[in-house]
Amino acid sequence: EAGVTQSPTHLIKTRGQQATLRCSPISGHTSVYWYQQALGLGLQFLLWYDEGEERNRGNFPPRFSGRQFPNYSSELNVNALELEDSALYLCASSLSRSGANVLTFGAGSRLTVL
Amino acid sequence: GQQLNQSPQSMFIQEGEDVSMNCTSSSIFNTWLWYKQDPGEGPVLLIALYKAGELTSNGRLTAQFGITRKDSFLNISASIPSDVGIYFCAGQLGGGSNYKLTFGKGTLLTVNP
């Protein structure tokens, strides 16, 4: 079974540009989570999508947005990039919310903002 | 919001030694998870705990869900070089819109052969 896949692996942008990151969940998983892992800060929760809808949002500005498609894949968009947006962006998927959810993570997309 | 305090921040040990790390929270969780992250990879689940007081083992790893539901620990026995990595605790409240995981800041483990 294929795991959670993320693309691109690496992305280099300049300040003010937009970045789009993509995630394909494990087959059968309908929930997708996005986390930001900046150096020394651990994993910070960004967004949670389930069944195509945004269910929860972390403490990030509105220029961080995303969506989930009918096939449950997801996209994270970061507008007006700032230097501090440089981080590893991790996507995770799980079965739909019913009881305890175990999140399975992808390898991440490394975003560098110059 | 919920916050997890994970300690120690880093550990340097000799191969064969036992390791212990823990997490405490200002609020309760209904699920505790422990993940390990290798360089360039995403976190991988080690142990999941679903019940207060639960003690669970996975090979040389043992983790417990605290009775108060506000803490958890992870022990690694007889460490080996491949145990090197960052270990994260994570708590989940569950219910409604609370299925996201809240992560500790991680414990960086270095094992000297």
Side-chain angles (χ1 to χ4, degrees), chain B residues 29-93:
Chain B
F29 287 107
N30 290 319
T31 302
W32 281 93
L33 305 169
W34 285 91
Y35 285 84
K36 181 192 176 195
Q37 186 176 27
D38 292 325
E41 302 290 331
V44 173
L45 181 69
L46 298 173
I47 292 180
L49 302 159
Y50 300 110
K51 191 175 176 181
E54 179 181 355
L55 184 71
T56 297
S57 293
N58 178 8
R60 295 177 296 105
L61 277 62
T62 301
Q64 184 158 32
F65 190 147
I67 289 291
T68 64
R69 294 198 287 160
K70 291 184 178 182
D71 63 305
S72 177
F73 72 74
L74 174 71
N75 288 338
I76 305 173
S77 62
S79 59
I80 59 178
S82 62
D83 289 335
V84 165
I86 304 176
Y87 291 79
F88 291 99
C89 62
Q92 183 187 66
L93 184 58

Side-chain angles (χ1 to χ4, degrees), chain A residues 7-105:
Chain A
S7 63
T9 306
H10 294 87
L11 186 62
I12 299 175
K13 294 284 187 177
T14 57
R15 284 173 55 189
Q17 286 189 312
Q18 180 203 33
T20 298
L21 308 176
R22 297 178 178 84
C23 172
S24 292
I26 289 174
S27 177
H29 285 190
T30 60
S31 272
V32 170
Y33 301 76
W34 287 95
Y35 283 82
Q36 181 195 66
Q37 187 176 25
L39 199 61
L41 292 180
L43 281 77
Q44 305 294 314
F45 169 71
L46 266 166
L47 290 159
W48 169 33
Y49 293 96
D50 181 67
E51 300 281 354
E53 294 188 19
E54 182 180 303
R55 300 294 184 181
N56 204 341
R57 182 183 178 86
N59 189 25
F60 280 84
R63 56 191 187 83
F64 286 84
S65 65
R67 53 180 172 167
Q68 186 177 32
F69 299 99
N71 67 353
Y72 303 115
S73 67
S74 177
E75 198 173 83
L76 175 68
N77 295 297
V78 188
N79 294 319
L81 285 166
E82 300 178 2
L83 296 178
E84 54 264 33
D85 296 334
S86 294
L88 181 67
Y89 288 84
L90 292 162
C91 172
S93 74
S94 72
L95 294 171
S96 183
R97 48 195 173 123
S98 55
N101 278 326
V102 172
L103 273 61
T104 302
F105 284 85

